[in-house]
């Protein structure tokens, strides 16, 4: 199994910055993609950013140019640097790990709250 622990959430004013961290542990050798998703109250969970083992990144249109995802392959830690935060970024942010070798397996962290005040 894979365990994911997020940190770095909090309260910030619009225009400010936060950096989220996600540490993966357990059977992590076959993880192919890690990423961040978010869910606001009454809304569906949406992809924010992903990064593959090869370093390819993908971002939601709403965060392009403001958020940056990066990965430490030695420690298996993924970061999300969030700049120019907006009120609509307020959500619970979840770390995700995807394993594609030997099947299709998704792992999720507990989530960390990000609140942006206007």
């Amino acid at each position: 199994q894979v365990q994911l622990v997020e940190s770095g959430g909090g309260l910030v004013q619009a225009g400010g910055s936060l950096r989220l961290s996600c540490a993966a542990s357990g059977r992590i050798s076959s993880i192919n993609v890690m990423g961040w998703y978010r869910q606001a109250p009454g809304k569906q969970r949406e992809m924010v950013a992903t990064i593959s083992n090869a370093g390819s990144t993908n971002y939601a249109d709403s965060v392009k140019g403001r958020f940056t995802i990066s990965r430490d392959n030695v420690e298996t830690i993924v970061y999300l640097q969030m700049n120019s935060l907006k009120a609509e970024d307020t959500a619970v942010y979840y770390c995700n790990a995807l394993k594609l070798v030997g099947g299709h397996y998704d792992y999720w962290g507990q989530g960390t709250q990000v609140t942006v005040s206007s």
Side-chain angles (χ1 to χ4, degrees), residues 32-91:
N32 299 109
V33 181
M34 295 188 70
W36 291 94
Y37 292 69
R38 67 186 182 187
Q39 187 168 24
K43 303 293 184 180
Q44 295 184 180
R45 187 173 298 186
E46 64 175 346
M47 186 274 291
V48 177
T50 63
I51 185 166
S52 72
N53 288 347
S56 298
T57 58
N58 183 248
Y59 296 93
D61 288 342
S62 60
V63 307
K64 287 181 179 178
R66 299 189 298 120
F67 292 9
T68 303
I69 188 169
S70 60
R71 183 176 181 176
D72 183 331
N73 292 319
V74 175
E75 301 292 339
T76 315
I77 301 173
V78 64
Y79 302 96
L80 184 68
Q81 179 66 48
M82 305 185 294
N83 299 325
S84 301
L85 283 161
K86 305 175 181 179
E88 52 261 44
D89 295 317
T90 296

